[in-house]
Amino acid sequence: MTMKAAFLVGTMLAAMAPTVAAARSTSVYQSLPADPRAVIVKGVGDGRVDDTAALQQAIDAAAAPNAGGLVFVPSGRYRISRSILLRSGVRVFGVGKTRPVIVLGDNTPGFASGIGAMVAFTGEDQFRSGKPAVPPRTTVPFDPTIFDATQTTFYSALSNVDFEIGEGNAGAVAVRFRVAQHAYLRHIDFHLGSGFAGVYQVGNACEDLHFYGGRYGIVTEKTAPMWPFTLLDSTFEGQRDAAIREHEVGLTLVNVAIRDTPVGIEIDRGYSDFLWGKDVRFENIAKAGVLISNEKDVHTKIGFDNAVAQNVPVFARMRESGTVVAGAGARYRVRDFSYGLKLAGLGQMGEYATDADIVPLTRMPTAPAPAIRAMPPVSAWANAHDLGAKGDGEADDTAALQRAIDTHRVLYLPAGRYRLTDTLKLRPDSVLIALHPARTRLFLRDDTPAFAGVGSPKALLESAKGGDAIVSGLGLWAGSINPRASALVWKAGAASMVNDVRIEGPVLRDGTMQARPGDPRVRQDGQPASIWVTDGGGGTFAAIWSPNTLASAGFRVSDTTTPGHVYELSAEHHYRHEIVLENVANWEFLGPQTEQEVRDGVNAVSTEFHDTRNILFANFHSYRVTRTAKPMDTAIRLFNSGDIRFRNVQVNAESGFASCDTKGCGTFARASKYPFDSAITDMTRQQQVRERDFAKLDVPAAPGAAATASAVPVTQGVEKLADGFYSIAGAATDAKGKLYFIDRFFNRIHGWSRAGGLETIADLPLDPVSLAVDRSGDLMVLSSAGRDGTVYSIDPAKPAAVRVIAPTPARPHPSATTLLPGNVWANGEFDDRIDPKTYTYPTLADFFTTKMGEAKPQEYVSPDGSLVLPAFRVWNQGPDDQQGWRWSDPLDAYGLVGAAPGARVTLTNASENRTYSGLVGAGGSVTDLKIVADRGGESVARGADGTLYVANGQVFVYAPSGALLRRIDVPERPLQLVLGGRDGRTLFILTHHALFATEV
């Protein structure tokens, strides 16, 4: 059957079986895009015959290495009986006069309980472990060989296909959508009936989704790469429990309406989220517009900009305390709302606050225009192949494409590689459309003459100045040896749009090298910014991924006051900075994310502002990868900039990991010791923001009055004892109070005392990480050498005599000190932790107490028997001992803490950012865990009188009762705190580069 014939058959079947579900939606692709590499589903589509196999066969065919990654589903009703697996990198589009509908018939086996996915996005063997560590339990039937979609699942998408769930399917979800960048759901109506949810697990961005009925519309936790999730132009109506139930997802809502449900947005018990809503509409919500959990936790950050409500008595409710933020009458506008850690100004630490600006309305306003413009109908698309472009990767398509753009407003590029030799220039009203940015690419070969040498930046693709141009679904590769090449230069106006555009880098998703390995002309940071908005440019930028290491920045905006709206921008892997704003005003960035890689980003900052004003940055996530081993001062730098509103900022360096090895399969939260020291540094005002997680900070337009004084006393003037280090940690003191610590990069163990000053104790390449001092005065050293790490002992007076300590079976040591990591990460990432019977999640506190309660079967014992280090499992990422990375709770901690069996030990649950005390038991287990301070952080030290000292941006001092007493401010970010000195009253404060102390 030909492509066109198959399409016509599907369309005819749809006409024979009209449905309410199909009638309620409008097909976005009413005719078939002409793409020779696309696969067309050849199902029956009558709603009665089982079309599962036909759908799966088409997806599998499109996933083949040389296929186009596109599947077209003609209009029809496609009944399925098991989960459809949407392969990584495959995009499925419904086509025809009516949207195709995927139907789950009444009482379909496998969907009556638990969670069963009608369509499940899948992934690959990311860590080459040979089998899935945690195969998704939502596949019907369950298949232990399926890899869940993860942070490496790119480009997968489903669009213009509706879902319908019949009766008796209480566990059904329409789509399991755990994915990374450039994956999306768009233009879908979910008629959920008896089902559990429309979307379970989310990732990246969704647009134009409409949920009807069901227990929930969306149920989700963290996205696979932990980036924010953005939902645009969508509605929820008539859910039985809540429209959205979620935690830790970084939820960004733009132009979303929620109606006729008990709760609008519910954050799960025991969890936080950073949630931002713009132009959100609540109607007929009985209990609360938003149910906020985990109060007074730095990760809880909730904000709204211009929400409206009708018949919603309670706008926000705090789950634990029952505190409510009431509405203002029957109809009201929430002009501004913020809950979480609020900073009074630059240089200040945060305090929890609720800000609510709510005013009554006499009538509800009309809904705003969609955030994302509609595309022209397929019937208006001129096909680039028909106009002379080849897209074969060899022919020079510059002239053909330029001629096509000049003569046609709307141009469609079928899947292919289109080689250019000069700038492709758009008309002011151009619409350039592709459907798969990994399979449809404009590119330059290396050494293209027009882009060589020294000169002004030159665009691969350039918009006209002003106008309302659109570019959508396209990949851009500027080549690796074209020093003047910028992939996209954008000068279009406020109504223009760039959507679903990927900037290619030196290595493609399939592992193919586009750069020349070893060629010295391939220079990292050697090209202008990949995307450069300038000369009055503006508009909407949505679902942009810009990770090209060869460019100086991923996203640069300069010299414009034209409004700009950026939704879900991912700018990563650059050498200096990811996002740059220069002389810019009137822009908003919602859900921006940056990442600095271990080899190419250790010296990069996330964002720079120069001479910029009137900017909103909300739900901002700045991440340094866990393998990073170099300190960096700040995520954001401000130069002569103000009137900047930061909302819901998260700066971190930890992430989940799922793998299998000879020790078994499982998940682990890897944590780096090298997040940015500060979230923001104002280079002009010379002020820092040490809080890495906060809900609200307004940077004023100009220096003004002094910021509000701290609510607790602040101690200044700590003493600097030594500096010039690369990064120090892993410290311990001996019986006389002498301090020992490690400068890990140089493999050096140092000592410090009042009498002797700074000493180098050992200088051997043995990868020391953390120290403890036994009763004999010898050092017990935890090392990262070897695939499972190593523990050894040295005499500080004879450091070359190294005694390796082998692990032995655990046994009681009633008179020894048990050593434990001072800060521990424990969470449920990369697995479905929901209970399939109760549909509840274990909390972050549950994960921590469970992990700490586990006895370790082996241990390391110091030669004198006075110290016991339980042998925590070491997780490996990499091929061998020399090149691989190693992760364990003790290796990831800034230092070790200790207590005798039966005594209490104090340590931080880093996932909650809270400090706990617990009883030490057999095998290093810790039980009876209780929160003793509402802040956690990098480390904690307890004085003999029970006073707690917590390192979390500054040093916070707590009474034994848990009351905050005062704060000790340190010139650099404190990382590890250790009590020592002659009388045990010296608080040593280790930062990356210096050693400080104060008497307590």
Side-chain angles (χ1 to χ4, degrees):
M1 186 179 292
T2 66
M3 184 177 187
K4 186 173 182 180
F7 174 73
L8 291 173
V9 168
T11 303
M12 290 170 61
L13 289 169
M16 295 166 57
T19 68
V20 172
R24 296 188 71 170
S25 60
T26 300
S27 178
V28 175
Y29 306 102
Q30 296 203 1
S31 54
L32 184 71
D35 199 313
R37 298 177 65 185
V39 177
I40 298 180
V41 172
K42 298 178 180 178
V44 176
D46 65 355
R48 296 184 296 273
V49 173
D50 188 345
D51 280 318
T52 308
L55 290 165
Q56 192 64 64
Q57 287 168 5
I59 291 169
D60 293 346
N66 295 321
L70 297 175
V71 173
F72 292 145
V73 184
S75 299
R77 287 173 56 78
Y78 296 83
R79 186 178 70 83
I80 63 170
S81 57
R82 62 182 187 274
S83 296
I84 302 296
L85 305 178
L86 208 161
R87 308 299 184 186
S88 184
V90 173
R91 293 188 162 193
V92 176
F93 296 88
V95 291
K97 295 295 184 184
T98 59
R99 283 190 200 166
V101 184
I102 298 179
V103 179
L104 191 68
D106 294 350
N107 304 304
T108 300
F111 294 90
S113 60
I115 298 179
M118 296 171 66
V119 172
F121 284 63
T122 64
E124 300 159 344
D125 190 357
Q126 177 190 358
F127 296 111
R128 306 296 184 263
S129 58
K131 62 179 179 179
V134 282
R137 292 172 289 165
T138 56
T139 305
V140 179
F142 173 71
D143 184 344
T145 68
I146 297 300
F147 286 89
D148 196 4
T150 67
Q151 70 264 48
T152 62
T153 302
F154 306 121
Y155 309 116
S156 310
L158 180 64
S159 179
N160 203 48
V161 176
D162 291 345
F163 287 85
E164 185 178 307
I165 297 175
E167 293 303 311
N169 298 304
V173 298
V175 181
R176 180 191 175 97
F177 183 59
R178 171 171 270 170
V179 290
Q181 289 99 324
H182 273 277
Y184 62 72
L185 303 175
R186 289 182 182 168
H187 314 306
I188 301 173
D189 283 11
F190 298 88
H191 296 270
L192 300 175
S194 66
F196 180 66
V199 179
Y200 177 68
Q201 307 288 14
V202 299
N204 205 49
C206 292
E207 172 197 330
D208 190 29
L209 307 185
H210 304 279
F211 300 86
Y212 303 98
R215 185 170 176 182
Y216 303 97
I218 294 176
V219 175
T220 189
E221 49 192 310
K222 279 184 180 176
T223 65
M226 281 68 76
W227 309 152
F229 163 65
T230 299
L231 178 65
L232 304 109
D233 299 333
S234 298
T235 62
F236 298 80
E237 184 177 318
Q239 282 68 53
R240 295 188 292 277
D241 285 10
I244 301 173
R245 178 185 165 194
E246 55 94 4
H247 61 262
E248 298 188 316
V249 75
L251 180 61
T252 303
L253 303 173
V254 180
N255 189 29
V256 171
I258 298 173
R259 303 182 180 94
D260 304 323
T261 184
V263 176
I265 304 159
E266 176 183 352
I267 301 174
D268 284 298
R269 183 181 303 276
Y271 282 96
S272 303
D273 191 29
F274 56 116
L275 161 65
W276 182 259
K278 171 192 173 186
D279 297 336
V280 179
R281 191 180 188 98
F282 297 93
E283 297 179 7
N284 306 322
I285 311 297
K287 296 180 180 179
V290 57
L291 179 58
I292 301 171
S293 300
N294 227 15
E295 300 167 56
K296 293 198 173 180
D297 185 285
V298 296
H299 305 302
T300 299
K301 304 178 283 283
I302 311 297
F304 287 89
D305 174 15
N306 190 41
V308 295
Q310 177 171 273
N311 193 22
V312 183
V314 174
F315 178 71
R317 183 186 302 274
M318 308 294 179
R319 185 191 294 272
E320 290 86 5
S321 68
T323 302
V324 301
V325 177
R331 290 169 294 276
Y332 56 89
R333 183 187 303 278
V334 182
R335 294 191 292 203
D336 178 67
F337 178 87
S338 176
Y339 172 78
L341 207 61
K342 178 181 179 181
L343 278 61
L346 292 162
Q348 301 294 303
M349 302 303 290
E351 297 177 13
Y352 291 97
T354 301
D355 291 343
D357 181 0
I358 303 176
V359 296
L361 293 173
T362 56
R363 58 184 178 84
M364 289 289 280
T366 58
I372 303 299
R373 287 174 56 192
M375 292 289 108
V378 176
S379 59
W381 299 5
N383 192 294
H385 286 187
D386 297 339
L387 299 171
K390 302 296 184 183
D392 60 5
E394 296 296 330
D396 181 356
D397 282 322
T398 311
L401 288 175
Q402 190 62 65
R403 187 166 50 248
I405 290 170
D406 292 342
T407 56
H408 295 80
R409 173 177 173 260
V410 184
L411 183 65
Y412 172 63
L413 276 65
R417 299 175 67 242
Y418 298 83
R419 184 169 72 88
L420 302 182
T421 54
D422 206 345
T423 300
L424 202 61
K425 296 186 177 182
L426 301 178
R427 298 166 24 166
D429 62 349
S430 281
V431 180
L432 193 61
I433 298 174
L435 294 177
H436 200 310
R439 305 294 178 99
T440 311
R441 182 181 307 121
L442 303 179
F443 77 100
L444 298 175
R445 282 183 179 166
D446 289 345
D447 297 310
T448 298
F451 298 86
V454 176
S456 301
K458 183 176 174 62
L460 170 69
L461 178 64
E462 182 176 328
S463 77
K465 184 175 172 61
D468 60 353
I470 296 175
V471 175
S472 178
L474 194 59
L476 302 173
W477 165 232
S480 53
I481 310 174
N482 294 303
R484 294 174 57 202
S486 184
L488 177 64
V489 173
W490 198 255
K491 303 176 183 179
S496 67
M497 183 171 70
V498 179
N499 194 355
D500 189 33
V501 167
R502 157 76 143 111
I503 302 300
E504 301 287 359
V507 182
L508 297 181
R509 178 67 188 90
D510 61 8
T512 304
M513 286 292 297
Q514 298 198 103
R516 302 178 188 178
D519 191 324
R521 296 174 300 162
V522 179
R523 187 163 67 90
Q524 315 292 348
D525 194 27
Q527 292 179 333
S530 293
I531 299 176
W532 193 349
V533 186
T534 190
D535 194 15
T540 297
F541 300 82
I544 307 297
W545 187 18
S546 186
N548 182 15
T549 304
L550 306 178
S552 64
F555 194 86
R556 187 184 197 108
V557 188
S558 67
D559 302 315
T560 184
T561 59
T562 302
H565 310 274
V566 182
Y567 307 128
E568 199 72 22
L569 164 67
S570 180
E572 309 175 303
H573 305 177
H574 299 88
Y575 263 62
R576 278 187 290 151
H577 30 47
E578 312 289 359
I579 302 170
V580 180
L581 282 71
E582 297 175 307
N583 191 27
V584 176
N586 310 322
W587 277 60
E588 63 176 8
F589 289 73
L590 306 186
Q593 167 267 318
T594 65
E595 176 185 283
Q596 289 71 54
E597 257 292 357
V598 61
R599 292 188 177 93
D600 50 47
V602 294
N603 297 311
V605 297
S606 167
T607 306
E608 285 191 358
F609 296 77
H610 299 260
D611 303 297
T612 288
R613 61 197 185 280
N614 190 23
I615 305 294
L616 170 66
F617 249 57
N619 268 18
F620 168 64
H621 187 177
S622 173
Y623 172 68
R624 297 188 93 206
V625 297
T626 54
R627 304 180 305 282
T628 298
K630 182 177 181 180
M632 190 63 183
D633 60 338
T634 192
I636 297 172
R637 287 181 180 152
L638 307 179
F639 298 84
N640 193 34
S641 297
D643 189 14
I644 300 171
R645 300 173 301 284
F646 290 104
R647 300 291 185 269
N648 299 359
V649 169
Q650 181 180 45
V651 176
N652 73 323
E654 86 290 334
S655 68
F657 173 74
S659 187
C660 295
D661 59 20
T662 56
K663 304 164 202 157
C665 297
T667 64
F668 183 73
R670 302 165 298 175
S672 169
K673 299 176 187 178
Y674 305 94
F676 289 111
D677 281 1
S678 298
I680 303 168
T681 299
D682 190 313
M683 307 299 287
T684 304
R685 297 175 173 93
Q686 289 295 294
Q687 292 177 306
Q688 290 181 329
V689 173
R690 292 272 182 89
E691 300 281 15
R692 292 194 185 120
D693 279 88
F694 61 87
K696 186 173 185 178
L697 168 66
D698 291 327
V699 179
T708 304
S710 172
V712 297
V714 177
T715 301
Q716 306 282 354
V718 296
E719 178 186 6
K720 181 185 287 188
L721 304 179
D723 64 5
F725 304 109
Y726 188 90
S727 178
I728 57 175
T733 55
D734 65 13
K736 296 180 180 179
K738 182 175 180 177
L739 180 73
Y740 296 91
F741 59 93
I742 295 167
D743 195 348
R744 184 176 176 185
F745 183 82
F746 293 110
N747 285 281
R748 292 188 185 122
I749 299 175
H750 292 286
W752 191 92
S753 65
R754 286 288 178 191
L758 181 67
E759 304 172 70
T760 298
I761 302 298
D763 193 2
L764 298 170
L766 299 177
D767 299 331
V769 175
S770 276
L771 304 173
V773 185
D774 67 21
R775 289 196 193 110
S776 70
D778 289 348
L779 301 181
M780 188 176 186
V781 185
L782 171 63
S783 164
S784 62
R787 188 161 180 81
D788 291 318
T790 304
V791 179
Y792 61 88
S793 177
I794 61 171
D795 180 344
K798 302 174 183 177
V802 177
R803 293 162 288 176
V804 175
I805 302 173
T808 55
R811 61 182 181 83
H813 299 272
S815 62
T817 295
T818 300
L819 300 173
L820 295 161
N823 54 302
V824 176
W825 289 87
N827 55 42
E829 293 168 7
F830 283 89
D831 197 0
D832 280 354
R833 307 290 185 167
I834 195 168
D835 186 319
K837 294 181 179 179
T838 65
Y839 296 108
T840 59
Y841 291 91
T843 66
L844 287 175
D846 293 334
F847 288 122
F848 179 66
T849 55
T850 298
K851 171 181 272 198
M852 298 312 300
E854 294 172 351
K856 311 303 182 290
Q858 290 193 304
E859 63 192 12
Y860 299 92
V861 183
S862 65
D864 71 350
S866 66
L867 298 177
V868 177
L869 175 62
F872 285 70
R873 175 173 173 175
V874 177
W875 296 78
N876 304 101
Q877 181 182 344
D880 54 43
D881 289 354
Q882 302 305 316
Q883 297 178 5
W885 286 275
R886 280 164 286 287
W887 315 97
S888 75
D889 293 310
L891 287 172
D892 292 356
Y894 286 97
L896 303 175
V897 294
R904 298 196 77 85
V905 68
T906 307
L907 69 169
T908 288
N909 178 4
S911 291
E912 284 189 297
N913 209 68
R914 288 178 171 140
T915 301
Y916 280 78
S917 170
L919 285 173
V920 177
S925 62
V926 182
T927 58
D928 191 36
L929 284 156
K930 299 176 181 178
I931 296 173
V932 292
D934 59 6
R935 274 187 185 259
E938 286 81 348
S939 68
V940 59
R942 179 185 285 276
D945 61 355
T947 302
L948 288 179
Y949 304 89
V950 177
N952 187 216
Q954 300 289 3
V955 178
F956 292 82
V957 184
Y958 290 87
S961 65
L964 179 61
L965 298 175
R966 62 190 176 97
R967 198 177 80 215
I968 303 171
D969 280 7
V970 186
E972 300 176 26
R973 186 182 189 90
L975 300 178
Q976 189 188 10
L977 308 178
V978 181
L979 283 163
R982 183 171 300 176
D983 57 2
R985 295 179 59 84
T986 299
L987 181 67
F988 292 108
I989 304 169
L990 285 76
T991 70
H992 279 303
H993 306 303
L995 173 64
F996 296 89
T998 188
E999 296 303 310
V1000 297

